[in-house]
Each structure stands twice: as C-alpha cells, then as structure tokens.
C-alpha cells in the first residue's frame, strides 16, 4: 500500500544545493558573531504554552501550533462544558485543556525565558545568538512559510549604546562578507514618542510615524493632509513640519530635531542616544551607509530605544534585517530592569537577495570535486587508498558505487556537477599512475599514485 | 504578573558551552561527510501523520507528538462518536480527527519520503546527511529525552558493498578526528536468517541472535540452555554450536561459517557480502578495528544486509553509532527496489564520551579571546578601530559595554573565561599604544596601535 508523499502546506524540504547556500549564509553570520564574542544557544522547539500565550497579542496566540498532550488526553475532558451557544466549541479554552505545549513562535520569548531561568549561570551583559526554526500557523503564501528559520543576535543587561554599535558593526561586516550592498537605517522610539508629545497628540505615535513614512512616495502636502485626516490639528502639523523637511548631515538633522523636541524630555533623550550612537559609528569606522530615518516604525509596540532596519541597495525585497532595543523583555518572567537590544537576520530574504544578485560562490554548486570511475573490483581496490589520501587533504572525493557503463558514471558526474573524473583501469594500476580529467576544459593530467599533493593542486 | 519559567519535561536548553561542544562534534562529522561527497538536506519538523503513522509499530505511533489542527479544529468533530464503553475516548481515532500533522520521530522515514517525493531531481546513488532534532513522547529518564538530535548519513540506490565501506571509512575518520578509540562491529542480517534456516527454526532469528549475544556474559552452556528454553531442539543447537566457538581471523571465521551455512542460499549471500566488505576495508586501509560480530542484532526488524555498531573502547556507554542496510525503504511511499544503507551518530552519547574522556579542545571554553576594558567614552573611541582590526584577523574581541569599576570588568572576563584583557586609558591613547595582559600568566605586552599582527600573535 503505497501513498503519494507530501509535506504539510507552508513547510519546505531543503535540497542539498539549497542547504549549501543556507549554510553559507549561516556560517558567514556565525563567524561574524563569534568575532564579537557572541556565542550560540539553543532552546527546545516545544515551550510550555504558559510561556508563549499572551506574548504576541490575540492574533499571535491564534497562530501558535499546539501540541496535543500525550497519553490519553481526552478522557479527563468534559467537552460539553466548552460548547458555545452557537453549537461550536470555545476553541482557545478547549485547546488549553488538551495541549500544554506549543511550538515556538519566535526566538525572542524563548530567549527571555532562557535568560530568566539561567540567570545565575550567565555573565552580563549576556551576548548570544540563536539560529533555529520557528513555527506560525499563518496562511501560507508566496514568501510566507509556516516553518522558517530565524537568526537572532542580542545582548542583554546593558544600556550602553556600545551594544547598538556592535549590532551595526556586525550587520555591516556580514553584508560586506556576503558582498551585498546595504543601507542600515536607524530610528529611536523615544524620538517618535517625543514628536507625538510636542504636537499634543501623545496617543498618535503610530499615525504620525506612518504618515512621515509616506513622504518620499506622496510628497509633503499629502503627508500633511493625511495627518489632518488622522485627527491632528493644523497647529500640530505645523509643529511637525520641520521634521518633514529635514535635510543635511546627520548632525544637521539632529540639531534641527533638538529644536522641535525641546519640550519633550523623552524626545531629547532619544536624540542623545542617536547622537551617541552615530558618534560611536564614526569612531569605529563602519563601512556601510548608516542613516537616521525618522519614519522607521517597525516593532513600535515593543521597542523602547533604537530601531534598526537593513535594506539591500541592489535588490528590491523589503527589509532583510531588523531589530531594536527593548527595556523590559524579561519582566514578564520575573526579572525586571534588564535592557537588551537585538537584531534578526531574515535568512529567507537574504537567500533571495543572494540568488537574485548571483552572489553565492560557484563552489557551492557541487559537494564533490573528483569522481573515481568504477571499472571493476580490482581497479576499485587500487583507487581506494588514493581517494583516502585526497580526502585527508580536505578534498571531496567519491568512488562510483557500481561498476558498469562509463556513460552512466559520466552522467552521474554531470548531474551532480562534479568537475573532475578519474578513470583508472588495470593499466593504471600496473603502472602506478592516476589520470585525472577536468570535465569542463577537457584538460587531462597523469600523476604517480603517491603524488597526492600534485593531484590536489590540479583539483584546486 | 510574572511566572516562574520552565521548559517541557524531557527537553533541554543548550548553553553556550554545550553548544560549542555540540558544534565541535557536528562540524567534525560534517567535514568528514563532505569529503566523501555527502551533502546535507533538511526536512520540516512537522510531517503529515499519514507519513508517520504505521512506520514505527503501535508503540511508536503512541510516541508521536501530534500537532492540533489550527483554526477551529473542534467544531466539526462529533465527540460522542469516539466514546468507549468504559466512558473514555478512543484516543488514536479522535487524535486523527483533530491532528493532521505530527513531529518527526526519526530522520529515516522523512528521508524515505524525501527521496520518493524528489526522485526526479536526485542523482542516484543519492548520498545525503541530515542533522536535525526528532521528538518522541517517551517517558523522560536519565539520558533519554523527548527532543534530541539525530545525525544520519545514508546512501540510497546501490547494492554495492562500496557503500558499506564508505560508512565504515567515515566512522573511522570521525572518531580519529575526535580522538576517541572505537571498535566498529559488523554483522549481516542474511547470515542471521541463514543460521535460523539451517537449524530448522526460520522464525526464531531474534531468539537465536539474542542468545548468541549473551555468550561473553553467561558462557557456552548457558547459551545453549537458553536456546533450548526458547524451543530449539538439541539437534538445532548442535548445528549452531560451531558458531558459538568461532575463533581466529575474520577469514577463518568466514570459512567456518561457510560450512555451517552451506545449505542456506541467503546465509551464503550474507557471507559473500561480509567477505567483500572486509576485503574492501583491507584494501582501503581503515584505521580503526573493524570486527565481524555475529551477535549484533540491532534493527533486526528492518535491516536486510549489513548491520553496524560502534562502541567507544575507553568509555562505557553502549553503542555510539549504529546502522545497516535496508532493501526497500521507499517501497511504502511507492518507490520499490531502492536499496540503501546508512548509519546514525548518537550525538548525546558522543558528547558524553568526549566529556568523560576530556577530549573537547580547551579553546571551546570561551568564545572571546580579548576584552578591551571600558575606561571612559574617549578611550573607548580609541580602542574601537583596534578591536575592528583584530576582528578582521579572525580574533574574537569584546569591548566592555559600560564604563565603571574595573573590578567588575575583570570579573566579567574571569566568568567568561576570556584569557586576555587590555586596559587603554588616556595615556595609551595619547601615545598610540595598546597594552595587553595574559590573565593566566600575568605576562603583559605593549604594542603600537597599528601593530595588529603583533597583537594577533600574542593573542594566539
């Protein structure tokens, strides 16, 4: 009884080539993190639902994958007690009875849980990164998956802008290594709060930021009209106008903003932070453009200081990294007063950018460098130690598993993109030689069987 | 409202040091796999339950973690229809109504599903490895977890014993690199089938193998008694007796076995396979002991040819790798006649062996090599470019985030095991120098701020 195999919608298999590309991204990122003293942790795929529920809003709660309790989870449940007047069931409440565990929705909440649970063992400021899949019961669509990797790097336990600087440096270094030109945009939540305060509408932070964000697209007059349509007064809009016409260097902009935000303590604090961070960026010498962008509004609900976003300059795809500072991440788990800042690399989008710009190294195309053809049992025994010698030089070598038609063996090399083949029969074995052919150029060379170094150079 | 955080029983957080050790194992394994032309794939954590159910026996089905369907999974279910006469619920049937997906139980079934689903894109023989967590609702106990990593390497689509050889070579190479002495034991399912045939009890393969396995512990007479107690006749036991007293070289043993199995076609085929494999092992020059062990019975239910097991010689822990050949892995998904052979590395046990034998490199203890103390804002700006220069040499460097008491900064370095510290204040900034101190030896050296190479050498 066979069944046509498939996988759940919104999930993916990753082929060998996709994995090679993904590992190239992750290895690059990890190497950069390591140089800044960030080390990896991992947390379980399943968390207690008590850890997860209520952290992502009502919509987020609905997107949690719940894991059915094992054993006989139904016997103790009075299903009747969960009926609705309409004849359905109170799904959230009944789920709680049947499921204690859920799949993690992101890496931030498990990180907060980890820091609180293991605080006695950690050294603060605690620098960590984490690269693991997360699961969301979102409606699958192009570019949105139900299982996807997040790659988060955070430091927690310090208010210093040096933490922000490190993230900026790491972003710049990652994309320098990946050979992708990016711009890193920085905003500060306190500045946005300040803007809403000084114009007299402290509850309209989001509306104001969203309107500012449209400046490039719709122009000054339309932005002002939108602000009015959201309930701001003409007077309030006049207060904000200098923000909409900011120009010059970052220093010029900061100076102009100090005028606008003069009456907001929070706003001025935000400007202080931005000024300090840009000073550190200049001192450290970061080699990617870093811009202040007051329209940057991502994560407005939880960030309390710096807000980051990274965009590729040569490929249209939205932001490929984002993050910010959160002042009380661990409070919900009983450890108040821990300020942290972090950034998340969007692995899927970075993959798409590198694919689009053709920036993956060609060497990722094949795992194997050389295929020894399989002529017969005796010649296989001749090549086996030679293959081992090349492997000990770090070269990836295969011996074709089955003797038989050479055509089939060449086809195998071709399909796998193996660039070199060696055909050793009884005459090579008798003379102690090895022939290696470059399948692309046709160039062929002969080596003494012990000349591993010579072969390695030809295969390089 | 804070809550005391915890994780589901049987799951684990991995700390930075544990991750460094685990990554050391995985990186070693991957590098060896790569040299043999094996490349990585990944499959989703969730598979359709139709893929998983019925593949692991009834007990296995009970150990699957099921994922509740999202949306409103209860509304369409008539719970009454699932009641048992005893007043409980038919758990398996009701679970199927509520859950379409489950967490993968191993990497073998997802691999089989993958090969069938993607057969048109693959080159056969298809060599792949996969390192991912699996989940089992087992009762948690020491050394048994509900989430643990498997590390599987398989080649599918060839009957050649060269495939078995590659696995033997990879095992030997992995443990040579990890500096752990091991013995690799090999058996063949066909030989066991043959033994049961020639003694006239073809249905008692397991009983016979289990009895043989006890030879070292309980001695010849007790093994014979056990066989009798399992229903074998005196005559049958007499037929098997030469197997219990095998001695000499592998060649001697194979010769003696040929006499015992003369009347079993299957048994002789198994001996042919063993003989070919040991011939290839000798030709390739494998540098760990490889032994024939007729008592090896692992995976008797699904293996059809070679059976492998690896034990550490200097640490008592059971097998740390195991595997074998399976002739029809993909048949259940509609692709018959694909023979494969694979081996699984037990990451948790290998971790325990390396810990027990103190074989993890000392360098894994700290991610960070050098800490720049934070004296004040100006001196931080002085050290930032120096830190960047060292990082570009691949050295892991931190700048302490907050200025303040040096004692606290030294404590931080101590807790994190950072071996070098640099304290640069205004006098160093003025003179353009950098002092670096080895915290263990007390040795201190001074460098010109541009002498990155000199610093790197001191830090090495």
């Amino acid at each position: 009884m066979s069944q046509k195999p498939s996988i759940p919608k919104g999930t993916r298999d990753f082929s060998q080539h996709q994995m090679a590309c993904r590992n190239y991204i992750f290895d690059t990122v990890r190497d950069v993190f390591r140089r800044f003293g960030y080390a990896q942790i991992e947390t379980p795929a399943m968390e207690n639902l008590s850890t997860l529920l209520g952290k992502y809003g009502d919509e987020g709660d609905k997107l949690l994958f719940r894991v059915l309790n094992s054993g006989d989870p139904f016997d103790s449940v009075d299903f009747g007690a969960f009926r609705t007047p309409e004849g359905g069931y109170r799904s959230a409440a009944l789920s709680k009875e049947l499921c204690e565990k859920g799949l993690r929705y992101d890496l931030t909440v498990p990180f907060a849980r980890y820091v609180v649970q293991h605080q006695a063992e950690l050294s603060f400021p605690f620098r960590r990164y984490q690269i693991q899949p997360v699961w969301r019961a979102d409606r699958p669509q192009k570019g949105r998956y139900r299982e996807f990797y997040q790659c988060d790097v955070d430091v927690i336990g310090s208010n210093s802008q040096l933490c922000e600087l490190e993230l900026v440096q790491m972003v710049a270094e990652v994309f320098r290594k990946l050979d992708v030109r990016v711009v890193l945009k920085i905003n500060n939540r306190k500045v946005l709060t300040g803007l809403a305060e000084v114009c007299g509408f402290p509850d309209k932070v989001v509306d104001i930021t969203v309107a500012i964000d449209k400046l490039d697209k719709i122009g000054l007059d339309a932005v002002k009209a939108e602000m009015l349509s959201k309930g701001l007064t003409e007077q309030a809009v006049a207060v904000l106008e200098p923000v909409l016409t900011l120009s010059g260097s970052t220093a010029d902009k900061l100076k102009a903003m100090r005028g606008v935000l003069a009456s907001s303590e929070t706003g001025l604090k935000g400007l202080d932070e931005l000024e300090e961070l840009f000073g550190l960026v200049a001192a450290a010498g970061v080699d990617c453009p870093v811009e202040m962008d007051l329209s940057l509004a991502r994560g407005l609900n939880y960030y309390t200081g710096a807000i980051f976003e990274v965009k590729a300059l040569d490929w249209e795809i939205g932001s490929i990294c984002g993050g910010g500072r959160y002042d009380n991440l661990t409070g919900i788990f009983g450890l108040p007063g821990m300020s942290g800042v972090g950034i998340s690399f969007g692995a899927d989008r970075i993959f798409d950018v590198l694919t689009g710009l053709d920036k993956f190294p060609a060497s990722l195309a094949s795992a194997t460098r050389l295929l020894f053809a399989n002529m017969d049992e005796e010649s296989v025994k001749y090549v086996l130690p030679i293959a081992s010698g090349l492997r000990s030089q770090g070269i990836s070598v295969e011996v074709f598993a089955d003797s038989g038609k050479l055509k089939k063996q060449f086809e195998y090399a071709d399909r796998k993109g193996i660039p070199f083949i060696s055909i050793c029969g009884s005459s090579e074995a008798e003379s102690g030689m090895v022939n290696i052919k470059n399948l692309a150029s046709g160039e062929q060379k002969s080596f003494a069987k012990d000349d591993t170094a010579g072969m390695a150079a030809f295969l390089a």
Side-chain angles (χ1 to χ4, degrees), chain A:
Chain A
M1 277 206 322
S2 78
Q3 47 189 209
K4 196 173 179 315
S6 65
I7 50 177
K9 62 180 177 182
T11 70
R12 290 169 290 177
D13 287 323
F14 293 111
S15 71
Q16 298 190 325
H17 184 247
Q18 288 169 321
M19 281 305 297
C21 293
R22 291 167 63 84
N23 284 339
Y24 168 71
I25 295 171
F26 290 136
D27 288 346
T28 301
V29 165
R30 298 155 81 114
D31 184 51
V32 171
F33 293 167
R34 183 190 62 77
R35 291 176 195 213
F36 284 81
Y38 287 70
Q40 191 172 14
I41 66 163
E42 284 192 0
T43 61
M46 293 187 284
E47 294 274 353
N48 291 320
L49 277 171
S50 56
T51 299
L52 301 177
L53 285 168
K55 311 301 187 298
Y56 308 106
D58 288 348
E59 276 311 303
D61 283 356
K62 282 186 196 155
L63 299 183
L64 291 172
F65 280 112
R66 291 162 156 84
V67 176
L68 194 66
N69 294 342
S70 35
D72 290 308
F74 308 110
D75 289 0
S76 58
V77 179
D78 174 9
F79 288 93
F82 294 91
R83 299 227 66 142
T84 60
E86 296 76 27
Y89 288 90
R90 290 184 290 121
S91 186
L94 185 46
S95 301
K96 268 194 185 172
E97 288 292 307
L98 294 170
C99 305
E100 284 171 1
K101 298 176 289 292
L103 297 180
R104 70 174 159 251
Y105 178 92
D106 69 3
L107 301 180
T108 305
V109 167
F111 170 55
R113 193 265 309 144
Y114 180 93
V115 168
V116 176
Q117 192 173 332
H118 300 279
Q119 54 186 292
E121 307 142 36
L122 305 180
S123 318
F124 293 98
F126 178 57
R127 293 167 163 82
R128 86 87 171 79
Y129 72 89
Q130 193 168 352
I131 303 176
Q132 290 192 278
V134 302
W135 295 270
R136 296 180 185 178
D138 253 322
R139 188 180 303 273
Q141 58 187 61
K142 190 176 176 327
R144 186 190 290 170
Y145 302 101
R146 294 186 144 191
E147 173 182 74
F148 57 97
Y149 272 75
Q150 288 193 336
C151 171
D152 279 19
V153 56
D154 295 80
V155 50
I156 189 163
S158 166
N159 290 305
S160 168
Q161 291 294 313
L162 277 170
C163 303
E164 273 82 350
L165 172 69
E166 281 185 358
L167 298 180
V168 168
Q169 289 179 296
M170 290 194 288
V171 164
E173 186 61 10
V174 163
F175 290 105
R176 191 188 65 75
K177 280 175 178 267
L178 294 176
D179 194 22
V180 171
R181 297 196 316 132
V182 298
V183 58
L184 197 156
K185 297 182 175 191
I186 303 181
N187 197 0
N188 190 298
R189 168 60 204 246
K190 296 187 181 78
V191 171
L192 298 176
T193 304
L195 286 175
E197 280 176 19
V198 296
C199 75
F201 291 88
D203 57 332
K204 296 218 184 284
V205 177
V206 175
D207 288 335
I208 293 169
T209 310
V210 167
I212 296 176
D213 184 36
K214 295 183 181 167
L215 187 62
D216 282 348
K217 281 197 201 114
I218 63 176
L220 180 62
D221 290 339
V223 168
K224 284 160 65 174
E226 168 155 339
M227 286 179 173
L228 293 170
S229 78
K230 295 290 180 184
L232 267 68
T233 58
E234 292 276 1
Q235 200 181 358
V237 173
V239 171
L240 293 174
E241 180 147 357
V243 180
L244 300 172
T245 54
L246 276 184
S247 65
S249 67
T250 301
D252 293 339
K253 289 178 182 173
L254 285 168
K255 196 174 166 198
M257 289 297 294
R258 287 203 182 273
V260 177
L261 295 174
S263 66
S264 163
E265 198 184 329
T266 303
L268 291 174
K269 176 81 172 59
L271 291 176
D272 288 344
E273 291 178 4
L274 281 172
E275 189 161 359
E276 186 181 352
L277 176 53
F278 276 96
L280 290 169
V281 166
V286 171
D287 65 1
C288 88
V290 181
E291 292 175 3
M292 187 169 83
D293 182 345
L294 294 178
S295 71
L296 195 61
R298 64 177 296 133
L300 214 48
N301 295 322
Y302 40 97
Y303 293 135
T304 53
I307 303 174
F308 298 112
E309 188 170 270
V310 179
K311 288 197 170 185
L313 288 171
D314 305 315
W315 194 257
E316 193 80 36
I317 199 165
S319 81
I320 54 179
C321 284
R325 180 174 283 274
Y326 34 84
D327 270 344
N328 193 19
L329 184 67
T330 57
I332 187 100
F333 297 117
L335 183 65
M338 287 292 253
S339 185
V341 57
I343 205 159
S344 184
F345 288 76
D348 287 311
R349 284 189 174 178
I350 294 171
F351 183 97
D352 289 346
V353 170
L354 291 175
T355 303
L357 297 175
D358 197 17
K359 292 286 189 184
F360 282 116
S363 61
L364 300 181
S366 174
T368 306
R369 201 78 193 142
L370 170 66
L371 176 69
F372 279 104
N374 186 328
M375 306 301 285
D376 54 47
E377 207 183 312
E378 277 318 300
S379 45
V380 161
K381 287 186 176 172
Y382 172 68
V383 302
L384 281 173
I386 302 165
S388 294
L390 289 169
R391 287 179 186 130
S392 70
Q393 304 273 320
I395 299 166
S396 170
V397 176
E398 288 183 42
V399 179
F400 196 77
D402 299 281
S403 63
K405 290 209 179 100
L406 264 179
K407 182 162 175 286
K408 199 178 153 193
Q409 305 191 32
F410 271 93
E411 280 169 6
Y412 175 83
D414 186 50
R415 276 196 75 152
K416 278 194 82 168
I418 301 174
F420 293 91
I421 196 164
S422 173
I423 301 172
C424 294
S426 51
S427 67
E428 281 80 7
E430 273 163 33
S431 60
M433 300 301 286
V434 178
N435 291 311
I436 301 178
K437 184 174 182 172
N438 181 325
L439 286 169
S441 70
E443 188 188 0
Q444 194 158 334
K445 264 188 120 171
S446 215
F447 301 88
K449 70 174 179 179
D450 297 327
D451 183 15
T452 314
M455 293 183 240
F458 185 59
L459 294 167

